[in-house]
Amino acid sequence: MPLPLLLLLTTLSAAASTSGAASLSGAHSELHTYGFPSGLLPSNIKSHSINRTSGTFLVEFDATCRITLPPDNYVAWYSKRVTGKIVENKIGKIEGISVRAFYKWWGITGIKISGEDLVFEVGLVTAKYPKKNFGEVPQCEGGKHSSS
Ligand SMILES: *[C@@H]1O[C@H](CO)[C@@H](O)[C@H](O)[C@H]1NC(C)=O
């Protein structure tokens, strides 16, 4: 096959495969690369960076963000800066995401993939939810880190 045609086809197929995910920002498609659903990060991402050697990453948001996690309606809160270390199927050393349970805020320290489930680690405690619950990128409900 002549090279220019091959290049054209490659370009076209690249365009086709990205257009399906046109609404996904870089950080959301980055999650897919590592095996995670894109719904783990809210939509208001300002910038992100990742070191592909170490897996350490930084995601910056326009503002703090509050979302309600399915299916138990736990309230999660994202600070303007979320950092951590991502490798295939595992995010560790997370800072900047908390979840409200038992009348307190708990830092989510890690998230793992286990088959069709996501396992959230809050210190030594874990909670498992189906990955498919996190298919949609959530919209922020507001930015108040309310303690009431
Ligand atoms: C990325 O991580 C590797 C391994 O920890 C480190 O050697 C390198 O300096 C980092 N690169 C940047 C740009 O921070």
Side-chain angles (χ1 to χ4, degrees):
M1 188 182 286
L3 192 58
L5 182 56
L6 182 65
L7 281 178
L8 178 65
L9 286 178
T10 316
T11 314
L12 283 179
S13 61
S17 62
T18 50
S19 68
S23 60
L24 291 183
S25 83
H28 292 104
S29 55
E30 200 80 66
L31 281 170
H32 278 280
T33 311
Y34 287 91
F36 289 89
S38 46
L40 285 177
L41 291 172
S43 59
N44 64 332
I45 294 172
K46 189 167 78 179
S47 70
H48 79 283
S49 61
I50 181 164
N51 177 331
R52 289 188 190 282
T53 311
S54 63
T56 53
F57 66 85
L58 161 68
V59 182
E60 291 187 291
F61 299 94
D62 292 332
T64 57
C65 176
R66 186 187 168 110
I67 59 173
T68 305
L69 297 177
D72 293 340
N73 298 330
Y74 282 117
V75 173
W77 185 82
Y78 289 74
S79 60
K80 281 181 85 168
R81 251 173 92 90
V82 171
T83 57
K85 185 171 160 135
I86 191 168
V87 294
E88 179 118 14
N89 295 335
K90 190 171 187 297
I91 309 175
K93 297 189 158 71
I94 301 174
E95 286 183 27
I97 308 177
S98 337
V99 65
R100 189 157 171 83
F102 309 113
Y103 311 105
K104 278 180 71 174
W105 289 99
W106 307 82
I108 292 182
T109 48
I111 305 173
K112 280 191 303 201
I113 301 285
S114 171
E116 290 307 304
D117 291 324
L118 278 173
V119 180
F120 291 87
E121 300 171 340
V122 178
L124 295 175
V125 181
T126 61
K128 206 188 245 192
Y129 292 106
K131 222 164 41 174
K132 62 173 163 52
N133 288 0
F134 297 85
E136 303 233 330
V137 175
Q139 300 293 323
C140 300
E141 292 157 13
K144 286 280 182 294
H145 192 300
S146 163
S147 56
S148 56

